[in-house]
């Protein structure tokens, strides 16, 4: 049972996580280990974290709606694929058991840290690729459903690094501006997160006091982070988070 002090610490960590997500992504690395350190079982910590992220994903999608209006054909494929994959990942998580998930946690964190480390090079590659294909009319929209669903399964199982995976899938198959792909990524990630959340709400694993505090804290942190983003180098912050995630994974492997 979490007391007032623990919830206050979680709230502060969530503000930091929301700000970090606005800067460079990786806020999950702050709150997920904290929840486990406070005694939550790994599955409950992951489920609670996923539920708490929902307002942030939805808000970011609404904020980028102007870049989604002309992508209705893609949305009709990506959103259902995200929902199906999110549900599948959630089912997989709740049926894998605490012991198996605990054993996978360090490897999932290491994978997410690696994905975060590759975020910068990935964006640079996407920009180069789109420049190379300028004027080349290729539409791979019909083929994106399956790889998006595969990325969504990972996102429903463990949220960290999901956005990077989805962006990589979209950039590999679609020729478009990074701004529009990022908006499509945000909408897809939101569908994955919300689908998993709707499944988790009835699972009995959500620690609601922590989830509500985290949702409010991450929202405040996102607003503050958006205002301060220009004062912090995202690359520096990203590598700090990668290093922190690697240390956390090493500690889990040891213990």
């Amino acid at each position: 049972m979490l007391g007032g002090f623990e919830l206050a610490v979680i709230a502060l960590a969530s503000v930091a996580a929301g700000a970090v997500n606005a800067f460079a992504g990786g806020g999950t690395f702050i709150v997920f280990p904290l929840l486990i350190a406070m005694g939550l079982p790994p599955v409950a910590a992951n489920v609670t974290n996923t539920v708490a992220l929902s307002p942030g994903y939805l808000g970011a999608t609404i904020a980028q709606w102007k870049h989604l209006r002309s992508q209705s054909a893609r949305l009709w494929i990506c959103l259902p694929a995200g929902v199906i994959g999110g549900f599948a990942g959630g089912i997989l998580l709740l049926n894998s058991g605490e012991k198996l998930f605990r054993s996978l946690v360090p490897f999932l964190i290491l994978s997410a840290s690696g994905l975060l480390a590759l975020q910068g090079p990935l964006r640079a590659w996407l920009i180069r690729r789109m420049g190379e294909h300028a004027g080349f009319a290729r539409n791979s929209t019909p083929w994106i459903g399956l790889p998006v669903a595969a990325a969504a399964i990972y996102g429903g199982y463990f949220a960290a690094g999901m956005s990077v995976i989805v962006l990589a899938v979209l950039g590999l198959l679609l020729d478009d501006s990074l701004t529009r792909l990022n908006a499509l990524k945000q909408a897809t990630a939101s569908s994955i997160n919300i689908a998993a959340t709707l499944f988790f709400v009835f699972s009995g694993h959500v620690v609601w006091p922590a989830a509500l505090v985290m949702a409010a804290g991450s929202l405040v942190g996102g607003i503050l982070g958006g205002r301060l983003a220009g004062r912090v180098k995202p690359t520096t912050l990203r590598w700090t988070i990668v290093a922190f995630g690697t240390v956390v994974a090493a500690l889990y492997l040891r213990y």
Side-chain angles (χ1 to χ4, degrees):
M1 184 68 178
L2 297 173
F5 176 75
E6 287 84 358
L7 291 176
V9 173
I10 291 172
L12 291 174
S14 299
V15 172
V20 164
N21 282 332
F23 287 136
T28 294
F29 293 149
I30 297 174
V31 291
F32 178 70
L34 177 64
L35 292 175
I36 293 180
M38 288 187 170
L40 271 67
V43 170
N46 188 40
V47 166
T48 301
N49 180 62
T50 297
V51 172
L53 289 175
S54 296
Y57 275 112
L58 186 59
T61 301
I62 293 172
Q64 299 184 61
W65 186 250
K66 66 180 180 180
H67 300 298
L68 291 168
R69 292 174 181 170
S70 59
Q71 301 192 68
S72 59
R74 296 171 178 176
L75 289 172
W76 276 107
I77 296 175
C78 288
L79 297 190
V83 169
I84 293 171
F87 271 120
I91 293 171
L92 188 62
L93 172 66
L94 296 185
N95 285 277
S96 60
E98 291 286 351
K99 185 176 180 180
L100 176 59
F101 183 69
R102 183 184 291 274
S103 67
L104 290 175
V105 161
F107 302 102
L108 291 170
I109 293 177
L110 280 174
S111 299
S113 298
L115 289 169
L116 190 61
L118 293 173
Q119 188 179 61
L122 173 62
R123 287 182 179 272
W125 173 77
L126 287 174
I127 292 172
R128 289 196 306 271
R129 179 180 176 278
M130 282 175 253
E132 291 170 359
H133 291 283
F136 182 62
R138 186 186 68 159
N139 183 5
S140 299
T141 296
W143 307 103
I144 62 177
L146 188 58
V148 166
I153 293 174
Y154 171 88
Y157 191 82
F158 191 63
M162 170 181 64
S163 294
V164 181
I165 296 176
V166 174
L167 182 62
V169 168
L170 296 177
L172 183 64
L173 294 175
L174 300 174
D175 288 319
D176 210 332
S177 71
L178 188 58
T179 299
R180 281 165 52 84
L181 286 179
N182 194 58
L184 183 61
K185 176 265 294 181
Q186 195 63 53
T188 304
S190 181
S191 72
I192 297 168
N193 179 264
I194 291 174
T197 293
L198 291 175
F199 182 74
F200 291 151
V201 160
F202 303 102
S203 69
H205 288 276
V206 182
V207 181
W208 284 108
L212 295 175
V213 165
M214 289 168 61
S218 63
L219 182 60
V220 172
I223 294 172
L224 294 176
R227 293 181 178 179
L228 298 175
R231 303 181 186 181
V232 180
K233 291 183 178 180
T235 301
T236 302
L237 185 59
R238 182 181 301 116
W239 283 106
T240 301
I241 298 167
V242 169
F244 178 72
T246 303
V247 171
V248 169
L251 291 174
Y252 278 119
L253 282 172
R254 183 174 179 179
Y255 297 104

